[in-house]
Amino acid sequence: MTVTEVAAMVGFPHSQVAEFLRSYGMYRVACNLEAMTDEVRSRVQDPRSWPASTVDRLLDNKHVREWLGIEFDADGNVKGKIKPEEFKKGFARIISDVATEKVTSRTHNTAKEIESYVKSIKPESTPGKTKGSFTAMDLLGKGGAKAASTPSPRKRPTTAKKSRSLVPPGFRCEIRSARINEVFTELKNCRLDTHKNSAGV
């Protein structure tokens, strides 16, 4: 499915689905980095405790993306502009610093703090600027490349499911308030076809 089709199905904006895919794709790349200690690898490969939001915050920074030699397209796919081994060297350093909590969302919250962090990284861990190109599939090795080379059969575009209640399919309430969740559940159970007046109000 395309990002647009997924967005229509789950009721999220295209941009938010792309952000989820970007985060997941870069997490897979992080899990497949070879230049990691056992301690760092153990932390990275535990999705329940891995601070993905910290990595996302770093990748949101233009200075970090330029330093890593990457950019992201509208669907969240990574596109490399330097040699992949150079990118891996820099990304491994960032992942290691996040895993060992040298970089956290508290200590590196602003753009200025993030840029200062990148400038402080030693040259041996800094990616070279030799031009190249790569995708996430290239970074994930033979399994990823093989999957990418086998085109999947074309599927007919799916349309978003028509909501039977005031709450669109797939929409979740993430606010931790008992009262708000009670109201949310009530709205979710308010069917448009059988409670037209209540739904209208």
Side-chain angles (χ1 to χ4, degrees):
M1 298 175 69
T2 66
V3 175
T4 301
E5 290 170 349
V6 173
M9 182 180 72
V10 301
F12 288 168
H14 181 286
S15 59
Q16 192 171 6
V17 175
E19 286 178 15
F20 291 151
L21 292 174
R22 186 192 79 170
S23 180
Y24 174 66
M26 296 307 288
Y27 176 67
R28 289 182 64 198
V29 171
C31 287
N32 281 273
L33 290 171
E34 297 175 0
M36 291 192 292
T37 64
D38 291 340
E39 178 188 357
V40 170
R41 189 180 305 280
S42 175
R43 180 80 196 280
V44 173
Q45 294 184 348
D46 181 2
R48 291 186 179 275
S49 64
W50 177 245
S53 60
T54 301
V55 179
D56 289 342
R57 187 186 300 272
L58 293 171
L59 294 175
D60 282 339
N61 186 282
K62 181 180 178 181
H63 190 77
V64 172
R65 295 196 301 272
E66 290 176 350
W67 184 79
L68 287 171
I70 60 172
E71 59 185 17
F72 296 97
D73 65 19
D75 289 341
N77 300 310
V78 64
K79 292 185 176 182
K81 299 183 287 185
I82 61 175
K83 294 289 186 181
E85 55 269 21
E86 293 298 325
F87 161 78
K88 288 180 181 179
K89 180 170 66 175
F91 195 48
R93 173 58 191 268
I94 287 177
I95 294 301
S96 177
D97 286 349
V98 172
T100 56
E101 297 187 348
K102 291 179 181 177
V103 174
T104 69
S105 59
R106 297 183 302 278
T107 60
H108 296 77
N109 188 40
T110 67
K112 188 175 181 180
E113 290 170 340
I114 292 173
E115 289 176 23
S116 295
Y117 158 68
V118 171
K119 290 178 181 177
S120 71
I121 296 176
K122 295 180 179 180
E124 57 265 28
S125 297
T126 298
K129 298 305 176 186
T130 307
K131 288 187 177 182
S133 65
F134 59 83
T135 65
M137 288 298 181
D138 297 326
L139 299 173
L140 293 173
K142 294 180 180 179
K146 184 176 181 181
S149 63
T150 306
S152 58
R154 292 184 63 85
K155 296 181 180 179
R156 296 179 63 183
T158 57
T159 56
K161 292 181 180 179
K162 189 174 181 180
S163 177
R164 293 185 177 180
S165 73
L166 287 170
V167 180
F171 185 85
R172 297 172 296 174
C173 178
E174 298 179 352
I175 299 174
R176 295 179 180 178
S177 165
R179 181 55 186 147
I180 289 179
N181 277 282
E182 287 174 7
V183 174
F184 178 78
T185 301
E186 188 174 340
L187 292 174
K188 196 170 184 180
N189 293 330
C190 186
R191 291 175 59 101
L192 299 173
D193 55 350
T194 57
H195 299 82
K196 294 180 180 179
N197 292 336
S198 298
V201 172

